[in-house]
Amino acid sequence: MEDIIINENQIKQEEYIVNMGPQHPSTHGVLRLKISLKGETVEHIEPHCGYIHRGIEKMCERLTYQQIIHLTDRLDYLSAHTNNEAVCLLVENALQIEVPERVKYIRTILDELTRLASHQLWWCAFGMDLGALTTYFYGLRDRELILDIFEETTGARLLQSFNTPGGLMNDIHPNFIKKVKEFIVHFRKKLPEYDELLTGNVILRERTNDIGLLTLEEAISYGVTGPSGRASGFACDVRKHHPYSAYDKVDFKEILYTKGDCFHRYKARVEEMWESMKIIEQLIDNIPEGDYAVKMKPIIKLPEGEYYQRVEAARGEFGVYVLSTGEKYPYRVKFRSPNFSNLSAINKLGAGHKIADLVAIGGSLDLVIPDIDR
Amino acid sequence: MNAILNYLKELFGGIKTLLTGMKVTGYYFVHPKEIITQQYPENRKTLKMFDRFKGEVTMPHDENNQHKCTACGICEINCPNGSIEVISKQVEKADGKTKKELDVYIYKLSMCTFCGICIKVCPQDAITFSQGFEHAVFNKEKLIKTLNKPGSSLKEKVKEVKEVIE
């Protein structure tokens, strides 16, 4: 105890430290934020991670490449399909396997459906964070239809594990195309309701305008990607700049805003839902015939070396790094999770604002805690 | 004067946005048929899950109480969580040869993550997913299941295992 020397001058007067979380409803999971307060104004935020650390990266070192995929579901569970795809693309690129066009199209459609479902849930939760309980029911109503499509084709609603190195686990269900088309028609009618309910709402405007400003330089230096980064003007869409699967065949706009406050992060996500629907519409009628998977060896061994693959998950750039020694297990796996980088900017975003604004900032970043801790 | 005008403008503008939102909620208030809600525990009898729904792993048996599992153990090797345990026994046949046969197929539901690899790799299609999803039990031991029924035997004319896993 003797070596702790407290210099009384260093203790800031009137500073009060509170914990937000780990069991706080607005942190969307077990995230603990240590907040220094002066009155009600936030002076400094220190995120503490590790409450839901499961050691997934270490577990991957004892699993084959097919088995890793089901663990990537459990990182960012709201973009499970996208995370699966990252590992599959890595294995396919490392072995230089060309997957059939059909697989690429189906993967891209499922990617965008995942993004839509994820943004819908974020919209629900963001409204609820700011006190609008109604939004939760409206968002979930439309999300349910996507989850039904997933359930029919992949067999699971959230953690699909539908990708496998070389293709897909199964072919699409015969009803898939019909249901997706019905959904797009339905959702094109319902998305304007979202704007009517929440976007124009005076309470939302007051609580998000000029809250949590992030400049372009800060977004790049913190590595804030996804809609949160694009709201600051950071053109970081992997789908656009480094196309994978069938993204090079579709025409879509990269949503860019410049201000970087909570409201623009909100707008970026709502606009992305429109773009996702555009992408699906372009692909759904043109799914080519063919196999749904390439015949792979039962044991996949990557050649010795380092591999990296990135995809655009719903919250930003998701990357997988694999160091292989030529064995059937990877030597080291590292996931670049978008939420971890997005969270790192929270001190920059939240300092100087009121503690109630921190809820809006956390909501606008769309944090998924299991992705932060892995 | 300007300040008052601005104040009034903001006030009425704010009320207008609130009314816009209430228009949507009001629409659904008078159109209750457009609201889709499943009355889950009540509709249990009519509730039909999708065919591909990954409920739990089962081993289908035919009317003669026969299954297709040859106890090759490929599912056990491929399971990422160790939730499958295949215990085989040596059975002496009529012609004097001993043959490996399935003794107990243990499936630990509590450890299963429903990734579906076991069903994909099974060379005999001996296991499938069932559509049941109500897994809650009062006792942890009840989640350890034996999939092959007592007294069941191997279906004849099952093709030989071609793919051999190291």
Side-chain angles (χ1 to χ4, degrees):
Chain A
M1 289 301 282
E2 284 109 38
D3 47 53
I4 300 173
I5 303 157
I6 299 171
N7 186 348
E8 286 194 1
N9 296 330
Q10 282 177 352
I11 301 175
K12 284 186 200 155
Q13 293 294 304
E14 293 177 57
E15 192 178 77
Y16 193 67
I17 293 174
V18 291
N19 282 313
M20 192 164 156
Q23 305 291 342
H24 191 281
S26 79
T27 54
H28 297 232
V30 277
L31 172 70
R32 177 175 154 219
L33 299 172
K34 202 169 146 196
I35 307 165
S36 314
L37 292 173
K38 197 167 195 178
E40 214 190 330
T41 312
V42 175
E43 293 265 286
H44 185 79
I45 307 161
E46 202 184 319
H48 283 248
C49 307
Y51 286 90
I52 194 163
H53 180 76
R54 294 149 293 171
I56 283 184
E57 286 175 7
K58 190 72 189 165
M59 276 157 84
C60 289
E61 292 168 19
R62 296 305 298 156
L63 293 176
T64 63
Y65 292 98
Q66 293 102 320
Q67 291 172 339
I68 287 175
I69 286 162
H70 92 288
L71 282 178
T72 59
D73 277 353
R74 281 141 180 95
L75 300 171
D76 182 352
Y77 47 79
L78 290 175
S79 40
H81 182 85
T82 325
N83 296 355
N84 291 170
E85 196 182 348
V87 180
C88 294
L89 287 171
L90 182 132
V91 173
E92 285 152 15
N93 290 346
L95 296 173
Q96 296 179 342
I97 291 167
E98 184 67 29
V99 293
E101 285 291 295
R102 185 179 177 82
V103 174
K104 290 183 185 174
Y105 274 65
I106 295 168
R107 274 181 184 173
T108 313
I109 292 167
L110 286 172
D111 265 356
E112 292 308 311
L113 284 175
T114 309
R115 194 181 319 281
L116 273 173
S118 167
H119 284 350
Q120 279 167 350
L121 187 70
W122 158 83
W123 183 80
C124 308
F126 189 57
M128 210 172 68
D129 281 346
L130 301 179
L133 185 68
T134 321
T135 60
Y136 211 86
F137 304 114
Y138 285 80
L140 285 188
R141 173 195 64 189
D142 303 328
R143 185 168 176 263
E144 194 63 25
L145 298 172
I146 300 185
L147 295 188
D148 276 349
I149 296 170
F150 281 154
E151 197 180 338
E152 196 169 32
T153 290
T154 69
R157 294 159 70 80
L158 202 63
L159 308 172
Q160 296 135 1
S161 307
F162 194 52
N163 279 312
T164 182
L168 306 165
M169 291 290 257
N170 220 331
D171 205 353
I172 50 170
H173 197 272
N175 290 343
F176 177 78
I177 293 171
K178 194 187 91 203
K179 279 207 168 180
V180 171
K181 279 180 183 167
E182 277 172 11
F183 167 74
I184 297 289
V185 171
H186 167 86
F187 196 52
R188 276 202 180 271
K189 267 188 254 155
K190 297 294 179 190
L191 193 49
E193 265 181 16
Y194 287 29
D195 285 341
E196 281 177 36
L197 268 174
L198 200 59
T199 311
N201 190 292
V202 61
I203 301 168
L204 180 104
R205 290 286 175 104
E206 292 287 315
R207 286 201 59 183
T208 54
N209 262 336
D210 294 320
I211 302 292
L213 287 164
L214 190 72
T215 61
L216 174 61
E217 285 77 20
E218 283 161 358
I220 293 171
S221 64
Y222 280 106
V224 178
T225 51
S228 314
R230 290 196 280 281
S232 305
F234 180 19
C236 54
D237 200 329
V238 183
R239 298 175 289 168
K240 196 87 185 168
H241 300 289
H242 305 277
Y244 54 93
S245 290
Y247 281 114
D248 48 349
K249 297 184 185 69
V250 289
D251 170 45
F252 67 102
K253 207 169 80 211
E254 185 180 7
I255 307 294
L256 283 177
Y257 284 90
T258 45
K259 202 172 169 189
D261 62 349
C262 282
F263 186 64
H264 276 182
R265 283 195 283 278
Y266 172 90
K267 281 293 280 179
R269 288 202 169 85
V270 174
E271 288 296 314
E272 267 201 5
M273 288 199 235
W274 287 108
E275 293 302 314
S276 292
M277 283 197 281
K278 255 167 70 183
I279 296 172
I280 296 170
E281 277 175 338
Q282 289 171 45
L283 294 174
I284 192 74
D285 282 322
N286 312 322
I287 300 177
E289 293 295 314
D291 289 336
Y292 61 84
V294 185
K295 184 88 183 136
M296 298 281 282
K297 282 182 199 154
I299 291 169
I300 296 171
K301 285 181 180 173
L302 293 199
E304 209 176 317
E306 292 173 283
Y307 305 96
Y308 186 73
Q309 174 68 43
R310 54 185 181 172
V311 294
E312 180 77 14
R315 277 153 201 78
E317 184 187 315
F318 178 81
V320 188
Y321 167 84
V322 167
L323 176 61
S324 171
T325 50
E327 295 294 312
K328 64 175 176 176
Y329 303 123
Y331 183 75
R332 172 85 172 95
V333 177
K334 166 91 178 75
F335 295 111
R336 189 263 183 220
S337 62
N339 283 297
F340 186 72
S341 310
N342 292 1
L343 176 74
S344 66
I346 200 158
N347 184 33
K348 206 84 196 168
L349 290 163
H353 289 298
K354 296 276 187 291
I355 196 162
D357 294 332
L358 198 58
V359 176
I361 290 164
S364 73
L365 284 177
D366 194 11
L367 298 173
V368 167
I369 312 304
D371 193 27
I372 295 168
D373 282 339
R374 294 193 286 277
Chain B
M1 193 62 198
N2 244 345
I4 296 169
L5 265 179
N6 269 342
Y7 173 74
L8 286 175
K9 207 173 155 188
E10 265 180 38
L11 183 71
F12 287 109
I15 290 169
K16 198 188 151 202
T17 62
L18 292 179
L19 287 176
T20 320
M22 282 173 79
K23 200 179 82 191
V24 178
T25 48
Y27 175 81
Y28 287 102
F29 184 69
V30 292
H31 291 81
K33 278 194 178 156
E34 287 183 35
I35 302 165
I36 39 160
T37 314
Q38 277 197 11
Q39 304 288 337
Y40 159 58
E42 285 83 18
N43 72 351
R44 216 180 241 163
K45 285 201 177 97
T46 52
L47 184 66
K48 173 112 176 46
M49 302 304 284
F50 293 112
D51 296 340
R52 291 184 186 176
F53 180 72
K54 294 192 261 191
E56 63 178 278
V57 178
T58 51
M59 187 181 284
H61 287 60
D62 65 0
E63 63 278 4
N64 302 328
N65 202 12
Q66 288 182 325
H67 56 76
K68 293 184 195 163
C69 181
T70 55
C72 62
I74 290 177
C75 49
E76 191 183 342
I77 297 165
N78 276 280
C79 181
N81 319 301
S83 52
I84 294 172
E85 208 175 312
V86 181
I87 299 168
S88 58
K89 60 181 175 191
Q90 297 292 334
V91 178
E92 202 163 321
K93 288 280 166 189
D95 53 358
K97 282 181 189 168
T98 54
K99 206 187 167 198
K100 196 169 84 171
E101 246 181 45
L102 179 68
D103 190 14
V104 197
Y105 193 102
I106 298 167
Y107 168 55
K108 294 164 193 153
L109 180 60
S110 52
M111 284 156 83
C112 183
T113 52
F114 308 103
C115 60
I117 296 177
C118 52
I119 283 147
K120 194 179 160 63
V121 296
C122 181
Q124 312 290 350
D125 296 329
I127 42 175
T128 51
F129 272 123
S130 73
Q131 273 74 49
F133 59 92
E134 288 166 334
H135 298 313
V137 284
F138 283 103
N139 195 330
K140 208 170 119 188
E141 277 71 46
K142 283 182 184 163
L143 292 172
I144 299 173
K145 302 190 176 186
T146 308
L147 293 190
N148 56 330
K149 288 179 189 163
S152 60
S153 58
L154 178 65
K155 208 178 215 170
E156 290 305 314
K157 288 179 194 167
V158 173
K159 63 179 180 193
E160 286 300 309
V161 182
K162 276 174 193 162
E163 282 175 309
V164 180
I165 304 264
E166 278 177 31

Short mmCIF file of all heavy atoms in Angstrom, two decimals, chain A residues 108-136:
data_model
loop_
_atom_site.label_atom_id
_atom_site.label_comp_id
_atom_site.label_asym_id
_atom_site.label_seq_id
_atom_site.Cartn_x
_atom_site.Cartn_y
_atom_site.Cartn_z
N THR A 108 -24.20 -12.31 -51.78
CA THR A 108 -24.38 -10.86 -51.76
C THR A 108 -25.80 -10.50 -51.32
O THR A 108 -25.99 -9.57 -50.54
CB THR A 108 -24.10 -10.28 -53.15
OG1 THR A 108 -22.89 -10.84 -53.63
CG2 THR A 108 -23.97 -8.79 -53.11
N ILE A 109 -26.78 -11.25 -51.82
CA ILE A 109 -28.16 -10.95 -51.42
C ILE A 109 -28.33 -11.17 -49.92
O ILE A 109 -28.90 -10.33 -49.21
CB ILE A 109 -29.15 -11.84 -52.21
CG1 ILE A 109 -29.15 -11.45 -53.68
CG2 ILE A 109 -30.55 -11.72 -51.66
CD1 ILE A 109 -29.83 -12.44 -54.57
N LEU A 110 -27.78 -12.28 -49.43
CA LEU A 110 -27.91 -12.53 -47.99
C LEU A 110 -27.16 -11.49 -47.17
O LEU A 110 -27.59 -11.11 -46.09
CB LEU A 110 -27.42 -13.94 -47.66
CG LEU A 110 -28.35 -15.08 -48.08
CD1 LEU A 110 -27.67 -16.41 -47.89
CD2 LEU A 110 -29.63 -15.06 -47.28
N ASP A 111 -26.02 -11.04 -47.70
CA ASP A 111 -25.28 -9.96 -47.03
C ASP A 111 -26.15 -8.74 -46.84
O ASP A 111 -26.18 -8.15 -45.75
CB ASP A 111 -24.09 -9.54 -47.91
CG ASP A 111 -22.83 -10.24 -47.53
OD1 ASP A 111 -22.86 -10.98 -46.56
OD2 ASP A 111 -21.82 -10.03 -48.22
N GLU A 112 -26.81 -8.36 -47.91
CA GLU A 112 -27.60 -7.13 -47.84
C GLU A 112 -28.83 -7.32 -46.98
O GLU A 112 -29.24 -6.39 -46.29
CB GLU A 112 -27.99 -6.67 -49.25
CG GLU A 112 -26.81 -6.19 -50.08
CD GLU A 112 -25.98 -5.15 -49.35
OE1 GLU A 112 -26.54 -4.19 -48.81
OE2 GLU A 112 -24.75 -5.31 -49.31
N LEU A 113 -29.40 -8.52 -47.01
CA LEU A 113 -30.52 -8.78 -46.10
C LEU A 113 -30.07 -8.69 -44.65
O LEU A 113 -30.77 -8.16 -43.79
CB LEU A 113 -31.14 -10.15 -46.38
CG LEU A 113 -32.01 -10.27 -47.62
CD1 LEU A 113 -32.43 -11.71 -47.82
CD2 LEU A 113 -33.24 -9.40 -47.52
N THR A 114 -28.85 -9.22 -44.40
CA THR A 114 -28.31 -9.12 -43.05
C THR A 114 -28.13 -7.66 -42.65
O THR A 114 -28.47 -7.27 -41.53
CB THR A 114 -26.94 -9.82 -43.00
OG1 THR A 114 -27.07 -11.11 -43.55
CG2 THR A 114 -26.42 -9.92 -41.61
N ARG A 115 -27.61 -6.86 -43.59
CA ARG A 115 -27.40 -5.45 -43.29
C ARG A 115 -28.73 -4.76 -43.01
O ARG A 115 -28.85 -3.97 -42.07
CB ARG A 115 -26.69 -4.78 -44.48
CG ARG A 115 -26.11 -3.43 -44.18
CD ARG A 115 -25.45 -2.83 -45.40
NE ARG A 115 -24.69 -3.80 -46.15
CZ ARG A 115 -23.48 -4.22 -45.83
NH1 ARG A 115 -22.88 -3.71 -44.77
NH2 ARG A 115 -22.85 -5.11 -46.55
N LEU A 116 -29.74 -5.09 -43.80
CA LEU A 116 -31.06 -4.50 -43.56
C LEU A 116 -31.58 -4.88 -42.19
O LEU A 116 -32.04 -4.02 -41.43
CB LEU A 116 -32.04 -5.00 -44.62
CG LEU A 116 -32.11 -4.24 -45.93
CD1 LEU A 116 -33.00 -4.99 -46.90
CD2 LEU A 116 -32.68 -2.86 -45.71
N ALA A 117 -31.49 -6.16 -41.86
CA ALA A 117 -32.00 -6.61 -40.56
C ALA A 117 -31.25 -5.93 -39.43
O ALA A 117 -31.84 -5.53 -38.42
CB ALA A 117 -31.88 -8.13 -40.45
N SER A 118 -29.93 -5.79 -39.61
CA SER A 118 -29.12 -5.18 -38.57
C SER A 118 -29.47 -3.71 -38.40
O SER A 118 -29.63 -3.22 -37.27
CB SER A 118 -27.66 -5.33 -38.94
OG SER A 118 -26.87 -4.51 -38.14
N HIS A 119 -29.63 -3.00 -39.51
CA HIS A 119 -29.96 -1.58 -39.41
C HIS A 119 -31.37 -1.38 -38.87
O HIS A 119 -31.63 -0.39 -38.18
CB HIS A 119 -29.83 -0.90 -40.79
CG HIS A 119 -28.40 -0.66 -41.20
ND1 HIS A 119 -27.36 -0.84 -40.33
CD2 HIS A 119 -27.85 -0.24 -42.36
CE1 HIS A 119 -26.22 -0.56 -40.94
NE2 HIS A 119 -26.50 -0.20 -42.18
N GLN A 120 -32.26 -2.30 -39.18
CA GLN A 120 -33.61 -2.19 -38.62
C GLN A 120 -33.57 -2.32 -37.11
O GLN A 120 -34.18 -1.53 -36.39
CB GLN A 120 -34.50 -3.28 -39.20
CG GLN A 120 -35.03 -2.94 -40.57
CD GLN A 120 -35.63 -4.14 -41.24
OE1 GLN A 120 -35.50 -5.26 -40.76
NE2 GLN A 120 -36.29 -3.92 -42.35
N LEU A 121 -32.80 -3.29 -36.64
CA LEU A 121 -32.72 -3.47 -35.19
C LEU A 121 -32.05 -2.26 -34.55
O LEU A 121 -32.45 -1.82 -33.48
CB LEU A 121 -31.97 -4.75 -34.84
CG LEU A 121 -32.01 -5.07 -33.36
CD1 LEU A 121 -33.40 -5.48 -32.94
CD2 LEU A 121 -31.04 -6.14 -32.99
N TRP A 122 -31.03 -1.73 -35.23
CA TRP A 122 -30.38 -0.54 -34.70
C TRP A 122 -31.38 0.61 -34.63
O TRP A 122 -31.41 1.35 -33.65
CB TRP A 122 -29.20 -0.13 -35.60
CG TRP A 122 -28.88 1.30 -35.41
CD1 TRP A 122 -28.11 1.84 -34.43
CD2 TRP A 122 -29.36 2.39 -36.20
NE1 TRP A 122 -28.12 3.20 -34.55
CE2 TRP A 122 -28.87 3.56 -35.63
CE3 TRP A 122 -30.17 2.48 -37.33
CZ2 TRP A 122 -29.16 4.81 -36.15
CZ3 TRP A 122 -30.46 3.71 -37.84
CH2 TRP A 122 -29.95 4.87 -37.27
N TRP A 123 -32.20 0.74 -35.64
CA TRP A 123 -33.18 1.83 -35.65
C TRP A 123 -34.14 1.69 -34.47
O TRP A 123 -34.46 2.66 -33.79
CB TRP A 123 -33.94 1.82 -36.99
CG TRP A 123 -34.90 2.92 -37.14
CD1 TRP A 123 -34.63 4.21 -37.50
CD2 TRP A 123 -36.31 2.87 -36.93
NE1 TRP A 123 -35.77 4.95 -37.53
CE2 TRP A 123 -36.83 4.15 -37.18
CE3 TRP A 123 -37.19 1.86 -36.55
CZ2 TRP A 123 -38.18 4.45 -37.08
CZ3 TRP A 123 -38.54 2.16 -36.44
CH2 TRP A 123 -39.02 3.44 -36.70
N CYS A 124 -34.61 0.45 -34.24
CA CYS A 124 -35.47 0.20 -33.08
C CYS A 124 -34.80 0.66 -31.81
O CYS A 124 -35.35 1.40 -31.01
CB CYS A 124 -35.73 -1.29 -32.87
SG CYS A 124 -36.30 -2.18 -34.24
N ALA A 125 -33.55 0.19 -31.65
CA ALA A 125 -32.88 0.41 -30.37
C ALA A 125 -32.49 1.86 -30.20
O ALA A 125 -32.51 2.39 -29.08
CB ALA A 125 -31.64 -0.48 -30.30
N PHE A 126 -32.17 2.52 -31.29
CA PHE A 126 -31.78 3.93 -31.21
C PHE A 126 -32.98 4.77 -30.77
O PHE A 126 -32.84 5.66 -29.93
CB PHE A 126 -31.26 4.41 -32.56
CG PHE A 126 -30.65 5.77 -32.53
CD1 PHE A 126 -29.59 6.04 -31.68
CD2 PHE A 126 -31.11 6.78 -33.35
CE1 PHE A 126 -29.02 7.29 -31.64
CE2 PHE A 126 -30.54 8.03 -33.33
CZ PHE A 126 -29.50 8.29 -32.46
N GLY A 127 -34.13 4.47 -31.34
CA GLY A 127 -35.33 5.17 -30.91
C GLY A 127 -35.60 4.93 -29.44
O GLY A 127 -35.92 5.85 -28.69
N MET A 128 -35.41 3.68 -29.02
CA MET A 128 -35.72 3.37 -27.63
C MET A 128 -34.72 4.01 -26.68
O MET A 128 -35.07 4.41 -25.58
CB MET A 128 -35.74 1.86 -27.43
CG MET A 128 -36.69 1.45 -26.35
SD MET A 128 -36.92 -0.28 -26.24
CE MET A 128 -35.35 -0.84 -25.68
N ASP A 129 -33.45 4.11 -27.12
CA ASP A 129 -32.46 4.79 -26.29
C ASP A 129 -32.88 6.23 -26.01
O ASP A 129 -32.60 6.77 -24.95
CB ASP A 129 -31.11 4.81 -27.01
CG ASP A 129 -30.40 3.49 -26.91
OD1 ASP A 129 -30.81 2.68 -26.07
OD2 ASP A 129 -29.43 3.28 -27.65
N LEU A 130 -33.49 6.85 -26.99
CA LEU A 130 -33.89 8.25 -26.84
C LEU A 130 -35.31 8.37 -26.33
O LEU A 130 -35.88 9.45 -26.37
CB LEU A 130 -33.75 8.97 -28.19
CG LEU A 130 -32.35 8.96 -28.77
CD1 LEU A 130 -32.32 9.65 -30.09
CD2 LEU A 130 -31.37 9.62 -27.83
N GLY A 131 -35.90 7.27 -25.89
CA GLY A 131 -37.19 7.36 -25.22
C GLY A 131 -38.40 7.08 -26.07
O GLY A 131 -39.51 7.24 -25.62
N ALA A 132 -38.20 6.67 -27.33
CA ALA A 132 -39.35 6.38 -28.19
C ALA A 132 -39.56 4.88 -28.27
O ALA A 132 -38.97 4.20 -29.10
CB ALA A 132 -39.12 6.96 -29.59
N LEU A 133 -40.38 4.37 -27.39
CA LEU A 133 -40.59 2.91 -27.35
C LEU A 133 -41.30 2.40 -28.60
O LEU A 133 -41.10 1.26 -29.01
CB LEU A 133 -41.39 2.56 -26.09
CG LEU A 133 -41.59 1.07 -25.82
CD1 LEU A 133 -40.28 0.43 -25.44
CD2 LEU A 133 -42.60 0.84 -24.72
N THR A 134 -42.10 3.25 -29.21
CA THR A 134 -42.88 2.83 -30.38
C THR A 134 -42.01 2.27 -31.49
O THR A 134 -42.38 1.31 -32.14
CB THR A 134 -43.66 4.03 -30.93
OG1 THR A 134 -44.13 4.79 -29.83
CG2 THR A 134 -44.79 3.60 -31.79
N THR A 135 -40.86 2.92 -31.71
CA THR A 135 -40.02 2.51 -32.84
C THR A 135 -39.64 1.04 -32.73
O THR A 135 -39.45 0.38 -33.75
CB THR A 135 -38.74 3.34 -32.88
OG1 THR A 135 -38.05 3.16 -31.66
CG2 THR A 135 -39.05 4.80 -33.09
N TYR A 136 -39.52 0.56 -31.52
CA TYR A 136 -39.07 -0.82 -31.35
C TYR A 136 -40.01 -1.80 -32.03
O TYR A 136 -39.59 -2.74 -32.70
CB TYR A 136 -38.97 -1.16 -29.86
CG TYR A 136 -37.89 -2.15 -29.60
CD1 TYR A 136 -36.58 -1.73 -29.41
CD2 TYR A 136 -38.14 -3.51 -29.60
CE1 TYR A 136 -35.57 -2.63 -29.22
CE2 TYR A 136 -37.13 -4.42 -29.40
CZ TYR A 136 -35.85 -3.97 -29.21
OH TYR A 136 -34.84 -4.87 -29.04
#
